Amino acid sequence: FVFGDTIRLGAAETVEKLQRRGLKTQMVSGDGNETTRAIAKAVGIDEAIGSRTPEDKVSAVKALQNQKHQVAMVGDGINDAPALVQADLSLAVHSGANLGEEVAAVTLMRAEPGQIIDFLNFADAVDQKIHQNLVFTFAYNIISIPIAMSGLLTPLVAVCAMLLSS
């Protein structure tokens, strides 16, 4: 997470929900180490790194990736853009700094930490739907191909069944 000097409403609850999902949370901020650690502690993040340059943020992301972690980066400013590019999943918070939004995979339209959870829930629902569609498609093919080969399935019925399976 990247936060400014003030803690955003809902940040602690969002961190708690992320940790309940089994996700490791780490804060990398452009603020000094002392400020960064204090804010991280206040929202329940165990590990925090204060950095002075965008390159420091990129280094922090790379260090996690080198440990075989998949990294999601949330940023709201121009100085976050290089780390957003480096991250496996990048979420920009709409703040008027278009560069962060241009490089991020996802842009959260409100500066509310809870939107991260909303996005993850939406992504999970999409993933479930994709798996469901694959199961129905494979089931259709396993059942209908032998029936079609035997001549018992007309082309019109096969097309309708394929549309319904998807």
Side-chain angles (χ1 to χ4, degrees):
F1 286 97
V2 178
F3 294 105
D5 287 334
T6 59
I7 298 172
R8 292 194 176 142
L9 193 62
E13 294 82 9
T14 299
V15 169
E16 181 184 334
K17 288 177 182 178
L18 289 170
Q19 290 170 342
R20 271 192 269 143
R21 283 177 169 252
L23 300 174
K24 178 182 176 182
T25 55
Q26 184 178 42
M27 183 172 164
V28 180
S29 173
D31 295 323
N33 277 325
E34 194 172 303
T35 302
T36 301
R37 286 188 183 117
I39 292 172
K41 184 178 181 184
V43 297
I45 296 174
D46 295 325
E47 202 171 333
I49 300 169
S51 62
R52 294 292 178 208
T53 67
E55 292 80 18
D56 292 339
K57 291 180 183 182
V58 172
S59 295
V61 170
K62 283 182 179 179
L64 288 168
Q65 289 171 327
N66 289 339
Q67 296 171 14
K68 305 295 183 213
H69 293 289
Q70 290 205 339
V71 178
M73 172 77 181
V74 180
D76 66 350
I78 292 172
N79 63 343
D80 297 322
L84 288 168
V85 170
Q86 180 64 43
D88 298 300
L89 171 62
S90 53
L91 297 107
V93 178
H94 179 70
S95 65
N98 291 337
L99 182 59
E101 295 174 29
E102 291 292 325
V103 301
V106 176
T107 300
L108 305 175
M109 295 309 293
R110 294 183 313 274
E112 297 172 9
Q115 281 201 301
I116 297 166
I117 302 300
D118 294 341
F119 167 73
L120 292 175
N121 290 339
F122 180 70
D124 287 343
V126 169
D127 192 49
Q128 282 182 322
K129 186 54 74 178
I130 289 169
H131 285 105
Q132 179 185 19
N133 285 348
L134 285 171
V135 166
F136 283 125
T137 299
F138 284 125
Y140 165 79
N141 286 323
I142 289 170
I143 294 168
S144 65
I145 288 175
I147 296 172
M149 288 173 56
S150 70
L152 298 174
L153 188 63
T154 65
L156 182 59
V157 172
V159 167
C160 291
M162 185 62 191
L163 291 173
L164 291 174
S165 75
S166 296

